[in-house]
Amino acid sequence: MSLTQLKDSLPPDWKLEEEIRRLKKERNAVILAHYYQESDIQDLADHVGDSLQLARAAQKTQADVILFCGVHFMAEVAKILNPERVVILPDLEAGCSLADGCPAPEFERFLAKHPDHFVISYINCSAAVKALSDVICTSSNAVKIVSQIPKGQPILFAPDQHLGRFVMKQTGREMVLWPGSCIVHETFSEKKIIELLLRHPGSELIAHPECEEPVLRHAKFIGSTTALLQYAVSSSAQTLIVATEEGILHAMRRDAPGKTLIPAPPEDESCACNQCPHMRRNTLEKVYLALRDLQPRLELDETLRLRAKKPIDRMLEMS
Ligand code: 13P
Ligand code: SF4
């Protein structure tokens, strides 16, 4: 039965949020949501966080069911860490341009051209790519992980070239980069950001390290979604221009009330380019259906799961 058919057969006072809370209890489920989810989903979640925090929350949970409101690779990490639990996500098609732009067979050929390199993969990649990596990192621990690799050991970093370049600058380490990028973080216009900074004296640009270098060079602070949120709260600047997916503004408005928060403008302002189309596939209706039906489920081949788990465990130890 579709949700529309279901709604038609229900009393008019039926409330989606209440039904989701009821089902969550009934299923002994935990809802994990990324900051890029629509605000209604963030408000219903047990944990809202960046990709590292959500991986940690998935590692610790005792719930029978993990409903992962994020994209496919994030739910996949939850399943890799919790093979015995049911992991569902509202929309199985919620992909990621970074993960999709780094297919495992091509990545394997790339690695073959760089033997002896230590392979660090950003968590935004498939389980198959993780299985080919020595360690995983997220935007909040990438600098820390790279800094721990012995000097003299060549490093290959994939799949986000912009994060890779940012880490190279921070650590002074040369790395071979896979040429991937995020469709959302590549849309911001340097020219329009400069105009905004000039129009709002005292304002600061804060940016996710997936942004391109011409944008990052104007940033007062660069960090993961959680780090950006913390900075927005602690900064003395009253106006912040935020260069990341605009879902984070929901938590920023709540935690930094009174501050003026301006989403960084994309080159083409006629689109909703600073909303991740993959993250936004998840809706409250799909959250309800996923909890009701315990579908769609994340399933993983056990051999692949074990190979992908190794570099994730290593990351959790190193960060
Ligand atoms: P975070 O590590 O900040 O959660 O970022 C994940 C992501 O997909 C950014 O586009
Ligand atoms: Fe992937 Fe970019 Fe969406 Fe993050 S914002 S999930 S990196 S496409």
Side-chain angles (χ1 to χ4, degrees):
M1 188 192 284
S2 75
L3 189 72
T4 326
Q5 289 167 324
L6 180 85
K7 271 183 175 167
D8 290 346
S9 66
L10 286 165
D13 58 350
W14 189 81
K15 294 254 176 0
L16 193 52
E17 282 90 341
E18 278 169 26
E19 284 305 305
I20 291 172
R21 284 197 188 95
R22 183 185 64 75
L23 276 175
K24 190 166 77 87
K25 230 178 181 173
E26 205 173 287
R27 304 276 191 237
N28 187 25
V30 66
I31 302 183
L32 308 182
H34 192 270
Y35 283 120
Y36 295 166
Q37 291 294 281
E38 61 177 55
S39 46
D40 290 348
I41 295 181
Q42 291 188 42
D43 290 345
L44 271 175
D46 298 289
H47 301 278
V48 184
D50 66 10
S51 48
L52 181 63
Q53 288 173 316
L54 295 177
R56 287 202 185 284
Q59 188 191 29
K60 285 189 198 140
T61 190
Q62 294 300 313
D64 296 322
V65 175
I66 300 173
L67 172 61
F68 208 115
C69 298
V71 289
H72 189 276
F73 76 82
M74 295 180 176
E76 207 169 51
V77 170
K79 186 66 183 176
I80 291 168
L81 296 170
N82 288 284
E84 71 290 354
R85 299 186 204 288
V86 172
V87 177
I88 48 178
L89 82 159
D91 191 320
L92 207 54
E93 302 294 313
C96 166
S97 66
L98 278 166
D100 300 343
C102 186
E106 270 177 54
F107 189 54
E108 206 164 3
R109 286 194 285 278
F110 187 68
L111 297 189
K113 287 186 199 147
H114 303 282
D116 309 326
H117 279 61
F118 187 81
V119 181
I120 305 182
S121 292
Y122 186 34
I123 199 162
N124 297 38
C125 64
S126 67
V129 166
K130 287 184 176 77
L132 295 166
S133 310
D134 293 306
V135 68
I136 302 304
C137 71
T138 72
S139 58
S140 58
N141 63 20
V143 170
K144 196 170 178 183
I145 301 263
V146 171
S147 306
Q148 290 175 61
I149 310 306
K151 294 218 162 59
Q153 166 64 61
I155 303 173
L156 185 150
F157 188 92
D160 187 27
Q161 57 177 312
H162 304 303
L163 174 65
R165 260 182 225 113
F166 168 72
V167 173
M168 275 169 37
K169 219 169 153 186
Q170 296 292 305
T171 59
R173 297 292 298 267
E174 266 307 306
M175 302 195 293
V176 171
L177 302 176
W178 173 272
S181 54
C182 160
I183 45 166
V184 178
H185 290 86
E186 271 194 340
T187 56
F188 302 119
S189 157
E190 182 192 15
K191 185 169 167 279
K192 289 180 186 168
I193 287 172
I194 295 171
E195 283 166 2
L196 268 179
L197 286 166
L198 291 172
R199 214 178 312 142
H200 298 274
S203 64
E204 292 177 344
L205 172 72
I206 59 175
H208 195 280
E210 287 176 16
C211 294
E212 293 173 306
E213 210 284 321
V215 167
L216 290 182
R217 68 172 162 235
H218 300 286
K220 176 78 182 170
F221 181 79
I222 298 168
S224 74
T225 43
T226 297
L228 293 177
L229 175 60
Q230 288 165 349
Y231 185 85
V233 174
S234 65
S235 168
S236 57
Q238 279 311 297
T239 302
L240 295 157
I241 300 160
V242 184
T244 192
E245 214 272 4
E246 73 177 26
I248 188 70
L249 293 177
H250 178 59
M252 281 184 184
R253 286 189 190 112
R254 182 197 59 217
D255 294 355
K259 291 204 171 143
T260 305
L261 303 164
I262 307 174
E267 206 72 60
D268 171 8
E269 288 190 68
S270 65
C271 67
C273 300
N274 43 8
Q275 286 189 1
C276 172
H278 306 291
M279 288 278 183
R280 304 299 173 129
R281 289 184 77 101
N282 297 331
T283 59
L284 221 46
E285 284 78 8
K286 289 181 190 171
V287 166
Y288 169 78
L289 291 173
L291 275 176
R292 188 193 70 178
D293 303 338
L294 294 183
Q295 294 286 348
R297 285 187 198 200
L298 230 292
E299 305 288 0
L300 263 179
D301 167 75
E302 184 60 5
T303 314
L304 174 62
R305 185 188 76 79
L306 289 172
R307 286 176 55 217
K309 186 171 182 289
K310 257 192 188 167
I312 297 175
D313 286 343
R314 202 165 185 181
M315 167 186 82
L316 293 171
E317 282 158 24
M318 287 170 79
S319 55

